[in-house]
Amino acid sequence: MKQINAEVIAVGTEILIGQINNTNAQWISKQLADNGINVFYHHVVGDNLGRVRSSFEKAQRDADLVLVTGGLGPTEDDLTREAFQLVSGLEMHEDKVSMDRIKEFFLKRGRTMSPNNHKQARVFEGAKVLENTVGMAPGMLVEHEGTVWAFMPGVPREMKQIMSDHVMPYVREKFDLQSVLQSRLLHFIGIGESQLETDLLDLIQAQENPTIATYASEGEVAVRLTARADSKQEADRLIDVVEKEVMERVGQYFYGYDETSVQQQVFELLKQRQFTLASAESLTGGLFADALVSLSGASEVFLGSFVAYSPLVKQQVLGVKEETIRKEGTVSEQCAIEMAENAVRLTGADIGISFTGVAGPDGSEGKEPGTVFISLHEKGKQTRTTELSIRSSRQGVRAQAVKKGFDLLFHYLK
Amino acid sequence: MKQINAEVIAVGTEILIGQINNTNAQWISKQLADNGINVFYHHVVGDNLGRVRSSFEKAQRDADLVLVTGGLGPTEDDLTREAFQLVSGLEMHEDKVSMDRIKEFFLKRGRTMSPNNHKQARVFEGAKVLENTVGMAPGMLVEHEGTVWAFMPGVPREMKQIMSDHVMPYVREKFDLQSVLQSRLLHFIGIGESQLETDLLDLIQAQENPTIATYASEGEVAVRLTARADSKQEADRLIDVVEKEVMERVGQYFYGYDETSVQQQVFELLKQRQFTLASAESLTGGLFADALVSLSGASEVFLGSFVAYSPLVKQQVLGVKEETIRKEGTVSEQCAIEMAENAVRLTGADIGISFTGVAGPDGSEGKEPGTVFISLHEKGKQTRTTELSIRSSRQGVRAQAVKKGFDLLFHYLK
């Protein structure tokens, strides 16, 4: 396969003064890398005709493919067209289809179009005009002296639409890119990243195609398998083989593929088993409930949560025994047990989960910050309690406690 | 003042394949802009000696100041030193202080240093070596043929430390930058961005020094006043004058300066007035409680929250009348009132706030998504209820409802 060299150029002074971040370059690079195209440079240049021209001249000399974002707007500061005209000598004209879309855009919003908006419909002779379905300025693909130029708006969602719908398909065909890249994300909970890496070490060391990458985030880990092949089917087949190996070793910690979360999986399991859930939260302070209520349809399984932050509310509302609080403290196994059991008793839920502990930064009741008790109670069964020592910030302790709660629920329900 | 032209160069293939975003460029540019230094280009170049060299050669020709991040690590791929040596012809040697720090770094962690770590202590002759207090590789300042070069590690926190502690002070002195830039952020809640802009229109149009910028975020707005002057005192004085004008017009919506949040302000007001608070949440599902529990010391004022997500829990646990739910529904003023009043009654709090509504995406009980009732009850007083129609996603509706709750509490308490 011929090696294609690309450059990504962003035009806009707002990036050079640090007002916005050039996230477009990352997104574009990811697309190109997925298609096996080398990116040699990212450049950012301000709204200055001389400097934009000089950046374009250099790219015209060096690159097979140049992706330009920004500078296509209606104002005097938008100089991408002018600069490329100086480089290429190509004529420009107003594109009727694009102009009609711009007029319609103003009409629909009941606003008056100012004359400078005509500028946004100006395209180079011989250019392929790329419809912008989410904004005004169209994109353009121009071939000039052996280099393919793609011009796109700087607004990320407009750029992404034009890149996905038009630029990548064109580039794949133009450069005859046969291979496809497929990737699959496997999520695990209840195993640490170092243990996961140890368990998969020989696979990771021998990796080639698919590649294997591990990621850790708050309280969980993921493995991304990425394969390149001549077809999607073949790439999927290559991934299947490695996935099977991975699952044989750490499958007991697996909870889902790609875009999912452990709370989503817990939600699905509760639905499948027709269980309802209630919670009682002290240090997590509503964070557990929020994670469930964030899911559309949560009311099918989630009844509610007692955010019993003060000891008196634990006692008076949630019915934790005065004696428990006096003798064991609110940060104790016994308090967690009573919280989970009473959450079930008071709401009639099938399952109750409770969280009590010290979020920090200071200790409490003689317990270290990060000490957390989580109890899980199913109606009519023995309550199970897990004690954790989490080393993190206040928010980290709270978030990890919630994640651990979902971990326990997932393994209990599955 | 002489105009100083800078370029920001990041070295690292991981940026060009889209694996990470070059956030360093934005942060550095912001620092330079704050000091009145023009940034003409950002470049990103991969771990390739020829291309790094060519980027450096161009910068040496064009710029007064070049800020380079990345490529200072111990591996074969780290080529920043090698490339600059080709450009400058400067000799290198091992810096003893830096080497001692690297050895200590390994010693403290009980790890064995590999020989290639010596590379990280190599510095150019005549360079000012910049201590890295958060990582291993030191930074360097080198003057070469009229251009100032700053080399910094690519890890953002290491770069920021070296930039703030060493590079900016050096650059300010070197280029004799006298002026300082001061900025102050004013937070407002209960007024929309367009109303705020209308109220401040003549100030915004006449702005020069200080500049006035408005920002909107979920449910609140902020105004940033930024002044340039010869001293901090003078800049502050300029800001004071404009702030006074702003406050005369929209001061009733002001809640705080700089790094604060409306929940922080509500927390402070509750403490000052020695009030305790409890909440009852339906659609917000613990998000309100979480915002308070996130604050260290929340237990001084916050007793807890009833996350009464199911109608039955609203009735059985929170004591909302069966008749209310049957006749008015759970998404109703009457339900919100009973939720707030019962939160106070059950917990003994001084103030109760409740949230009930439709988060969406679907409607419920014949009510549109985004319909929200918030009730505020102070013990022994009349309950006040606010009805909202929020147009947003499920999470947007929930977040804006919570923000509005804090808005109501803030204006009630202040």
Side-chain angles (χ1 to χ4, degrees), chain A residues 379-399:
Chain A
K379 208 185 273 179
K381 301 216 171 144
Q382 185 77 26
T383 304
R384 304 167 175 206
T385 305
T386 304
E387 181 177 352
L388 311 173
S389 298
I390 304 169
R391 279 166 176 257
S392 187
S393 63
R394 181 176 176 86
Q395 303 314 347
V397 168
R398 299 178 62 233

Side-chain angles (χ1 to χ4, degrees), chain A residues 15-23 25-27 29-30 33 39-46 50-52 54-55 58 281-300 302-310 312-313 316-317 346-348 360-362 394-395 398, chain B residues 15-23 25-27 29-30 33 39-46 50-52 54-55 58 281-300 302-310 312-313 316-317 346-348 360-362 394-395 398:
Chain A
I15 303 171
L16 294 181
I17 60 173
Q19 197 176 304
I20 60 168
N21 191 348
N22 183 21
T23 56
Q26 183 183 16
W27 195 89
S29 297
K30 187 83 180 52
V39 178
F40 274 4
Y41 298 102
H42 293 172
H43 301 290
V44 182
V45 55
R51 285 193 288 275
V52 178
S54 123
S55 295
K58 186 176 175 303
E281 308 183 55
S282 182
L283 86 155
T284 55
L287 206 52
F288 176 84
D290 175 52
L292 279 172
V293 175
S294 295
L295 305 172
S296 180
S299 57
E300 286 177 62
F302 185 60
L303 302 185
S305 185
F306 296 84
V307 181
Y309 202 58
S310 85
L312 212 62
V313 169
Q316 290 177 353
V317 177
L346 290 164
T347 62
D362 304 317
R394 181 176 176 86
Q395 303 314 347
R398 299 178 62 233
Chain B
I15 303 172
L16 294 181
I17 60 174
Q19 197 177 305
I20 60 169
N21 190 347
N22 183 20
T23 55
Q26 182 182 17
W27 194 89
S29 296
K30 186 82 180 50
V39 177
F40 274 3
Y41 298 102
H42 293 172
H43 301 290
V44 182
V45 56
R51 286 193 287 277
V52 178
S54 122
S55 295
K58 186 176 175 304
E281 309 183 55
S282 184
L283 85 155
T284 54
L287 206 52
F288 175 84
D290 175 51
L292 280 172
V293 174
S294 295
L295 305 172
S296 178
S299 56
E300 285 177 63
F302 185 60
L303 302 185
S305 185
F306 296 84
V307 181
Y309 202 57
S310 87
L312 213 62
V313 169
Q316 290 177 351
V317 176
L346 290 165
T347 62
D362 305 317
R394 180 176 177 86
Q395 303 314 347
R398 300 177 62 231

Side-chain angles (χ1 to χ4, degrees), chain A residues 159-310:
Chain A
M159 177 281 291
K160 287 178 187 173
Q161 177 256 313
I162 291 173
M163 185 83 185
S164 304
D165 290 355
H166 305 294
V167 177
M168 283 319 300
Y170 180 90
V171 165
R172 284 185 59 83
E173 197 184 319
K174 171 75 192 169
F175 293 106
D176 197 21
L177 304 178
Q178 300 294 338
S179 69
V180 296
L181 204 78
Q182 279 289 115
S183 99
R184 191 180 299 165
L185 197 60
L186 315 179
H187 296 278
F188 300 87
I189 196 159
I191 181 171
E193 191 183 24
S194 57
Q195 185 60 48
L196 184 91
E197 279 192 348
T198 306
D199 290 351
L200 304 180
L201 193 62
D202 56 319
L203 295 178
I204 291 171
Q205 283 175 342
Q207 66 172 303
E208 199 164 306
N209 188 25
T211 58
I212 306 174
T214 65
Y215 303 89
S217 63
E218 203 107 322
E220 58 176 293
V221 286
V223 173
R224 185 180 291 282
L225 304 177
T226 306
R228 180 180 298 284
D230 288 343
S231 70
K232 186 179 174 312
Q233 288 70 22
E234 176 58 13
D236 279 337
R237 202 193 55 76
L238 289 169
I239 291 174
D240 287 343
V241 174
V242 177
E243 182 189 325
K244 191 158 167 286
E245 268 288 344
V246 170
M247 289 302 198
E248 272 168 19
R249 299 174 187 203
V250 292
Q252 70 265 41
Y253 304 105
F254 173 78
Y255 75 77
Y257 291 105
D258 299 322
E259 297 296 307
T260 188
S261 61
V262 65
Q263 57 261 41
Q264 182 76 48
Q265 295 302 319
V266 165
F267 174 55
E268 302 296 341
L269 286 168
L270 288 166
K271 272 204 290 192
Q272 274 170 34
R273 305 190 49 176
Q274 299 189 292
F275 276 164
T276 56
L277 176 73
S279 52
E281 308 183 55
S282 182
L283 86 155
T284 55
L287 206 52
F288 176 84
D290 175 52
L292 279 172
V293 175
S294 295
L295 305 172
S296 180
S299 57
E300 286 177 62
V301 300
F302 185 60
L303 302 185
S305 185
F306 296 84
V307 181
Y309 202 58
S310 85

Side-chain angles (χ1 to χ4, degrees), chain B residues 98-260:
Chain B
S98 301
M99 199 59 237
D100 287 348
R101 285 204 69 255
I102 294 170
K103 284 178 183 164
E104 199 191 314
F105 189 94
F106 280 94
L107 208 66
K108 268 193 190 157
R109 284 159 184 76
R111 285 161 49 196
T112 314
M113 194 185 86
S114 59
N116 60 5
N117 279 291
H118 280 275
K119 183 174 166 182
Q120 293 191 283
R122 288 181 66 76
V123 302
F124 291 102
E125 53 174 315
K128 191 169 149 60
V129 180
L130 314 175
E131 191 184 356
N132 181 342
T133 61
V134 291
M136 279 196 283
M140 277 180 276
L141 276 161
V142 185
E143 286 187 48
H144 180 66
E145 295 177 1
T147 299
V148 175
W149 289 77
F151 297 97
M152 296 174 281
V155 178
R157 62 191 193 108
E158 299 181 22
M159 178 281 290
K160 287 178 188 173
Q161 176 255 314
I162 290 173
M163 185 83 184
S164 304
D165 290 355
H166 304 295
V167 177
M168 284 319 299
Y170 180 89
V171 165
R172 284 184 60 82
E173 197 184 319
K174 169 76 192 169
F175 294 106
D176 198 22
L177 304 178
Q178 300 294 337
S179 70
V180 296
L181 202 79
Q182 279 289 116
S183 102
R184 191 180 300 166
L185 196 61
L186 316 179
H187 296 278
F188 300 87
I189 194 157
I191 181 170
E193 190 181 23
S194 58
Q195 185 59 49
L196 184 91
E197 278 192 349
T198 307
D199 290 351
L200 304 181
L201 193 62
D202 56 319
L203 295 179
I204 291 171
Q205 283 176 341
Q207 67 173 301
E208 200 164 304
N209 187 24
T211 57
I212 306 175
T214 65
Y215 304 88
S217 63
E218 204 106 321
E220 57 175 295
V221 286
V223 173
R224 184 181 290 282
L225 305 176
T226 307
R228 183 180 295 284
D230 288 343
S231 69
K232 186 180 174 310
Q233 288 71 21
E234 176 60 12
D236 280 337
R237 203 194 54 76
L238 291 168
I239 291 173
D240 287 343
V241 174
V242 177
E243 181 188 326
K244 191 158 168 287
E245 267 290 344
V246 170
M247 288 301 198
E248 272 168 19
R249 299 172 186 204
V250 291
Q252 69 265 41
Y253 305 105
F254 173 78
Y255 76 74
Y257 291 105
D258 300 319
E259 298 296 310
T260 187

